[in-house]
Amino acid sequence: LNMSIKVVFIVGLCLLPLAAYPAIYTYVDESGTSHFTNILPIGKKFRVVISERIRHVVARVFNNTTYDGIIERQAQTHGIDPSLVKAVMKAESNFNPNAMSHKGAQGLMQLMPDTARLMKVDNPFDPEENIRGGTRYLKYLGETFGGNLDLMLAAYNAGPARVKEYNMNIPPYDETRTYVQRVKSYYKSFKKN
């Protein structure tokens, strides 16, 4: 690959949500075509292109500020730390306003349709509406769980009913536990900036 294609490829990776896999792997086949994967390959023909550590550094360098104005306004309106809103957004969609999960969560803060309705969001793909709804939801979760950040984040991921079902504890799901730690890590990073 020439240098400009490599740069575009690396920047493109920064725009994707961080995956659970440790690296990006590549190989060039007999015809000269480059192949890339984030799934640990079998065989020795693949080599590591971007390790997880480098991806985190690159992601920090490309810290998205596109929605900072909306985040600030909504955070102030709802009494939520803007760094927390941004951390949730980073973890949920990596700042992609058109993100949609396989479970049906939509937009920057990945609002489920029922949550969007509850928070009076008509168009979850509109950044202003989505951030308003997500921030209002964080306020609601803060009030519901007495400001306990771990429980708020667990409820954002797994739903408030699951947190209550597990006696006001983080549900024992790997996805939820990982999510809470990831958002807290982003939160700490954004607070430093």
Side-chain angles (χ1 to χ4, degrees):
L1 291 174
N2 67 35
M3 190 57 161
S4 62
I5 293 174
K6 285 182 181 178
V7 169
V8 168
F9 177 73
I10 290 170
V11 170
L13 288 174
C14 294
L15 300 176
L16 296 173
L18 292 176
Y21 299 102
I24 300 294
Y25 306 90
T26 187
Y27 85 95
V28 178
D29 67 19
E30 303 78 33
S31 69
T33 302
S34 294
H35 300 267
F36 296 92
T37 181
N38 65 336
I39 299 171
L40 184 62
I42 298 172
K44 295 184 179 181
K45 63 184 175 182
F46 283 88
R47 65 182 176 83
V48 175
V49 179
I50 301 175
S51 72
E52 187 68 16
R53 180 176 294 153
I54 292 171
R55 288 175 72 195
H56 282 290
V57 169
V58 172
R60 280 192 205 120
V61 170
F62 289 92
N63 177 14
N64 191 311
T65 59
T66 304
Y67 304 105
D68 284 1
I70 301 171
I71 291 169
E72 289 289 335
R73 282 193 309 277
Q74 294 302 327
Q76 185 174 13
T77 298
H78 298 290
I80 298 291
D81 186 334
S83 295
L84 177 60
V85 176
K86 191 167 185 174
V88 169
M89 188 183 304
K90 169 76 175 159
E92 290 288 344
S93 71
N94 199 33
F95 308 110
N96 178 358
N98 299 310
M100 184 145 170
S101 78
H102 65 280
K103 293 180 181 177
Q106 302 170 325
L108 286 164
M109 297 191 73
Q110 289 292 276
L111 301 176
M112 292 298 286
D114 287 344
T115 304
R117 278 190 292 277
L118 181 67
M119 297 296 123
K120 299 181 177 13
V121 173
D122 294 323
N123 179 2
F125 297 106
D126 175 78
E128 182 91 35
E129 280 195 63
N130 192 284
I131 294 169
R132 177 180 45 77
T135 306
R136 283 183 70 192
Y137 190 51
L138 284 171
K139 178 181 181 178
Y140 165 78
L141 295 174
E143 291 168 350
T144 302
F145 297 105
N148 182 309
L149 182 60
D150 286 355
L151 297 184
M152 289 169 62
L153 296 176
Y156 200 98
N157 178 260
R162 293 283 184 236
V163 173
K164 292 174 185 175
E165 178 183 331
Y166 287 96
N167 300 314
M168 302 300 273
N169 288 299
I170 298 174
Y173 311 135
D174 288 340
E175 176 190 336
T176 301
R177 292 179 186 276
T178 300
Y179 175 84
V180 169
Q181 293 310 310
R182 188 168 68 242
V183 174
K184 286 171 65 176
S185 174
Y186 293 147
Y187 184 32
K188 184 177 178 182
S189 175
F190 290 141
K191 281 185 81 69
K192 287 181 183 176
N193 294 337

